[in-house]
Amino acid sequence: MKYEWDESIKIGYPEIDEQHRQLFAAFNEFLDACGEGRGHSEIVKTMEFLSEYVIKHFMDEERIQKENGYPDYHQHKRYHEECKIMVISLKSNFLREGPTAAVISRIQSSIGDWLLNHIKIEDMKIGEYIRARERLYKEIQLRQALKNGAGQPLTSG
Ligand SMILES: [Fe+2]
């Protein structure tokens, strides 16, 4: 099964959404390389790219959470750490055993499904939090503007 990014897993933060799209593209590239029976070094390259991209993405996502004061940052980072351990272990399985059906299906059901689930549940919360925070800031700004302009006469009419 291939993983397609679509609107249903859009978290509403463009930088993260774009990376999720790339993540699935990298995952599919790996699956294609295995499915098409490309050469060993070619398949290994796609696996290397995928695992490096997972790590880069987690780092960027954690930075965005910090920048926005996301309150569940530590828990979220723990989930990322668990996934990284899983990726490292599956990658070494893969390098040892090669692209066997069992290894590929384990990678698919572990990394692919994990990512999809994580985006749907945990990353979605980041998007919701950032949007709520932006709404609050706008409200504060509006109140401040109204307060500052409160003493002035109305110009309309
Ligand atoms: Fe995440």
Side-chain angles (χ1 to χ4, degrees):
M1 184 196 106
K2 283 209 179 185
Y3 294 88
E4 297 296 338
W5 187 93
D6 65 33
E7 292 281 319
S8 72
I9 55 166
K10 178 179 172 179
I11 76 152
Y13 194 93
E15 188 183 342
I16 297 180
D17 282 327
E18 183 51 32
Q19 289 195 3
H20 286 160
R21 201 194 299 261
Q22 299 294 335
L23 212 47
F24 286 139
F27 201 89
N28 290 336
E29 186 59 24
F30 164 73
L31 292 178
D32 281 346
C34 296
E36 292 163 9
R38 288 185 217 162
H40 177 77
S41 71
E42 189 64 30
I43 299 177
V44 168
K45 233 189 274 174
T46 63
M47 173 40 97
E48 293 286 354
F49 182 80
L50 173 64
S51 59
E52 276 162 28
Y53 197 80
V54 166
I55 290 163
K56 177 215 160 23
H57 167 64
F58 285 170
M59 272 171 60
D60 287 343
E61 216 184 70
E62 286 161 15
R63 170 184 49 80
I64 291 166
Q65 290 178 45
K66 267 188 162 175
E67 283 169 0
N68 287 279
Y70 186 60
D72 270 343
Y73 167 79
H74 291 287
Q75 179 59 53
H76 199 118
K77 192 176 162 63
R78 263 196 292 275
Y79 291 139
H80 285 174
E81 294 302 325
E82 284 167 16
C83 182
K84 276 196 252 178
I85 291 169
M86 193 169 73
V87 169
I88 291 165
S89 126
L90 287 165
K91 189 175 145 186
S92 71
N93 270 359
F94 166 77
L95 292 174
R96 203 174 43 239
E97 296 167 33
T100 64
V103 169
I104 296 166
S105 118
R106 214 176 314 145
I107 289 173
Q108 205 159 3
S109 63
S110 304
I111 306 176
D113 292 354
W114 188 96
L115 286 171
L116 191 59
N117 230 29
H118 177 79
I119 293 171
K120 275 187 191 163
I121 299 167
E122 295 304 327
D123 292 346
M124 208 58 93
K125 291 184 197 165
I126 309 171
E128 281 161 15
Y129 176 80
I130 293 175
R131 276 195 299 283
R133 192 172 185 257
E134 279 166 359
R135 273 199 303 276
L136 187 67
Y137 275 179
K138 274 188 196 139
E139 209 178 291
I140 291 168
Q141 275 177 343
L142 187 66
R143 280 190 193 171
Q144 207 65 42
L146 285 171
K147 206 172 128 193
N148 291 341
Q152 291 166 14
L154 292 170
T155 51
S156 64

